[in-house]
Amino acid sequence: MSPTRREREYAKRRYNKWQNKLAMRMDRRRRQRQIGLAAAGAVATVAVIAVVGTMLMGGDDSTTATAATPSASATAANNPCGQPPAKPSAPKSWSTPPSKDLAQGKTWTWTIETSCGPVRVELDGAKAPQAVSSTIFLSQQGFYDSVPCHRLTVQGIYVLQCGDPTGSGTGGPGFSYGPVENAPKNNVYPAGTVAIARQGGRGDSMGSQFFLVYKDSTIPSDNAGGYSVIGKISGGQDVVEKVAAGGLASGSDIAPARAVSILSTSVAPS
């Protein structure tokens, strides 16, 4: 073989070797990008679950978020709902939940008088007997009087959460109950839905906290199921939307800027 031919063969082998290395390098980078995207997707999913766990729970370990309360001057200047009343100094408490028979399988009208206007809810005692019975009992006992709506969610999930007499997200009526009733199978909670909050992963941790959906929301369920839907808003959806329109209070990631409290509640068969 002539020197010229040998040089051409050598150059060809070097070129092919370089092409193979380049192809391997590009394939490795492509796989790394895919792994990165998969990891990012997993992180995003965990973040959504974490938001749900933090924002739609009630009980002793229900929140780590900052529940800042706007000052009286800020409320007077920026809150069209006016100044809400002070929280109960000595919340009522019971050791056991009421019997689910209290709902009697009927439809009830629950009227929530708030510092921003009245909200009426049609409770379904047939589909969520235990949760509706608890709501009826607490209303009859005046438990919700002067209780704040302490939490507003504004990204991905759109709810106003109320029912904790301490306003911290960790309070309740002393008792808890379960399991989850009447949760949507598709995890979609349309605007106007009213459901009971609970601790993540625990279907037996429901108490007095509930949330009002002001915009269609998809809320992922966990191993305990979704959230007990007790009924739908039949009047006063604009009140919830008015509070939500104010966004979050400065310095807080959960408290509504337009502070609102429940003044009183009443319930009667529809």
Side-chain angles (χ1 to χ4, degrees), residues 161-232:
Q161 189 165 326
C162 315
D164 172 12
T166 71
S168 67
T170 64
F175 62 75
S176 61
Y177 63 89
V180 172
E181 303 170 309
N182 196 33
K185 291 182 173 58
N186 61 358
N187 295 329
V188 176
Y189 296 74
T193 299
V194 182
I196 303 298
R198 62 174 175 79
Q199 294 178 26
R202 288 189 54 195
D204 61 349
S205 61
M206 290 174 281
S208 59
Q209 295 187 42
F210 61 93
F211 57 90
L212 309 164
V213 182
Y214 64 88
K215 183 178 177 181
D216 292 358
S217 300
T218 299
I219 307 176
S221 61
D222 55 22
N223 62 311
Y227 296 84
S228 294
V229 174
I230 58 175
K232 297 181 179 179

Side-chain angles (χ1 to χ4, degrees), residues 84-93 141-149 163-168 172 208 260-264:
K87 297 187 294 290
S89 57
K92 298 178 180 180
S93 180
Q141 299 298 318
F143 176 84
Y144 290 115
D145 295 1
S146 300
V147 169
C149 294
D164 172 12
T166 71
S168 67
S208 59
V260 60
S261 290
I262 299 171
L263 303 179
S264 64

Side-chain angles (χ1 to χ4, degrees), residues 17-66:
K17 186 176 181 181
W18 177 80
Q19 286 284 72
N20 289 335
K21 284 185 178 180
L22 180 62
M24 292 175 63
R25 187 181 306 162
M26 292 179 66
D27 183 64
R28 184 166 58 250
R29 288 178 179 175
R30 183 166 55 251
R31 281 180 287 135
Q32 287 174 341
R33 283 197 300 269
Q34 291 173 343
I35 292 170
L37 289 173
V43 170
T45 300
V46 171
V48 170
I49 294 173
V51 167
V52 175
T54 300
M55 294 187 173
L56 299 181
M57 299 192 299
D60 292 342
D61 58 348
S62 64
T63 181
T64 57
T66 305

Side-chain angles (χ1 to χ4, degrees), residues 6 16 30 33 42 54 60 64 81 84 92 94 99-100 110 115 134 159 164 167 181 188 201 224-225 234 242 263 266:
R6 282 198 301 269
N16 289 337
R30 183 166 55 251
R33 283 197 300 269
T54 300
D60 292 342
T64 57
C81 299
K92 298 178 180 180
W94 298 266
S99 167
K100 65 180 181 181
W110 186 30
S115 55
S134 175
V159 307
D164 172 12
E181 303 170 309
V188 176
S234 58
K242 184 192 299 185
L263 303 179
S266 61

